[in-house]
Amino acid sequence: MTARAAPAPADRIDTGKQRQARIVGFLLIGLAIFTAFVFGLDAAGDATFRLSRPRDPFALPDLVVPAAPFLHIAAALLAFLGARQFLRGGIRWTALSLGIGLAILVAAFLVWATAGKAFSLTGMLQATVVRAVPIALGALAGVLCERVAVVNIAIEGMLLAGAFTGALAGSVIGGWGGLVSAVAIGGLFGFILAALVVTYRMDQIIAGVVINLFVLGLTSYVTSQVLSERTELNNAPVFR
């Protein structure tokens, strides 16, 4: 009996990429069907997107999009991108096709949700950037911790402790004092986590969860018992 030769590493990589391309193709085709029969059948009228706010120095005209035609075109594009994954050469564009397909899906959702109404696209983008900053800072903190082999589960607790201290100290001693206090408290909890994990060999997950629960409980208690009555302690100035 002759033993069958094991597949070469290059063949295994090609097979894996082909399987990934087929999965992405089915996913995009499924999204196309969903867009056509869920979004497309329930959209009526035009979707109006405001590109400027009343106080902007340069006013841009509103973007008016016919909802039903746009959704049908979006479904057709998603179906094309999905079918492209099963054709020759489609394996090279798997990641790009998936990214474009998800962007089309988001645009289709916005048009479907705004059909027959008006929506401030500028305000949404502004709110998105503002709310994404803490998430981005937390993600960067997690990356730095991973570089030193620490699984930092306490990122939310550190952010909450710093934000709470910054608001409280800023209300008492001013904006710069609140900023310095927030950084100091965040660094203090980072030191506590490092000491528990590195010096005392505590489990990283447990240490992070303990810090999160401690900060959440402490800030909730102080907010309900102190700041609810003394509102002047939660009125920090805003930097220009």
Side-chain angles (χ1 to χ4, degrees), residues 23-83:
I23 293 174
V24 171
F26 284 120
L27 175 63
L28 291 174
I29 293 175
L31 293 177
I33 297 173
F34 179 83
T35 302
F37 291 97
V38 176
F39 290 164
L41 297 180
D42 194 26
D46 297 334
T48 303
F49 296 96
R50 296 193 182 97
L51 303 181
S52 300
R53 295 174 298 178
R55 297 182 180 179
D56 290 343
F58 300 99
L60 297 176
D62 295 340
L63 178 63
V64 180
V65 179
F70 179 87
L71 293 173
H72 293 147
I73 293 174
L77 290 176
L78 287 171
F80 169 77
L81 292 175

Side-chain angles (χ1 to χ4, degrees), residues 3 6 58 110 144 151 207:
F58 300 99
L110 290 176
L144 292 177
V151 180

Side-chain angles (χ1 to χ4, degrees), residues 7-230:
D11 296 337
R12 290 198 296 267
I13 293 175
D14 291 340
T15 303
K17 289 183 177 180
Q18 292 173 359
R19 185 183 302 110
Q20 182 180 10
R22 288 195 295 268
I23 293 174
V24 171
F26 284 120
L27 175 63
L28 291 174
I29 293 175
L31 293 177
I33 297 173
F34 179 83
T35 302
F37 291 97
V38 176
F39 290 164
L41 297 180
D42 194 26
D46 297 334
T48 303
F49 296 96
R50 296 193 182 97
L51 303 181
S52 300
R53 295 174 298 178
R55 297 182 180 179
D56 290 343
F58 300 99
L60 297 176
D62 295 340
L63 178 63
V64 180
V65 179
F70 179 87
L71 293 173
H72 293 147
I73 293 174
L77 290 176
L78 287 171
F80 169 77
L81 292 175
R84 184 71 178 85
Q85 298 304 304
F86 298 95
L87 301 179
R88 193 174 199 181
I91 191 174
R92 295 180 299 175
W93 309 101
T94 301
L96 181 61
S97 299
L98 180 61
I100 295 176
L102 293 178
I104 293 174
L105 180 65
V106 171
F109 172 76
L110 290 176
V111 171
W112 170 76
T114 318
K117 297 174 289 187
F119 179 74
S120 177
L121 188 61
T122 305
M124 183 199 69
L125 294 177
Q126 181 183 12
T128 300
V129 172
V130 170
R131 286 164 175 76
V133 169
I135 300 176
L137 292 176
L140 291 175
V143 170
L144 292 177
C145 293
E146 289 289 345
R147 295 290 294 174
V148 293
V150 174
V151 180
N152 191 354
I153 304 298
I155 294 175
E156 295 87 348
M158 296 176 185
L159 287 174
L160 179 58
F164 184 85
T165 305
L168 183 61
S171 302
V172 177
I173 59 179
W176 287 106
L179 180 62
V180 174
S181 301
V183 174
I185 293 299
L188 174 62
F189 277 98
F191 171 77
I192 293 173
L193 177 66
L196 292 176
V197 172
V198 178
T199 304
Y200 298 102
R201 303 298 181 180
M202 187 175 180
D203 185 86
Q204 303 176 20
I205 306 298
I206 295 178
V209 172
V210 167
I211 291 176
N212 284 338
L213 294 178
F214 172 75
V215 173
L216 180 61
L218 180 62
T219 53
S220 300
Y221 176 79
V222 176
T223 300
S224 61
Q225 298 298 322
V226 180
L227 298 186
S228 59
E229 297 180 358
R230 302 190 60 182

Side-chain angles (χ1 to χ4, degrees), residues 1-6:
M1 297 178 63
T2 58
R4 297 179 60 183

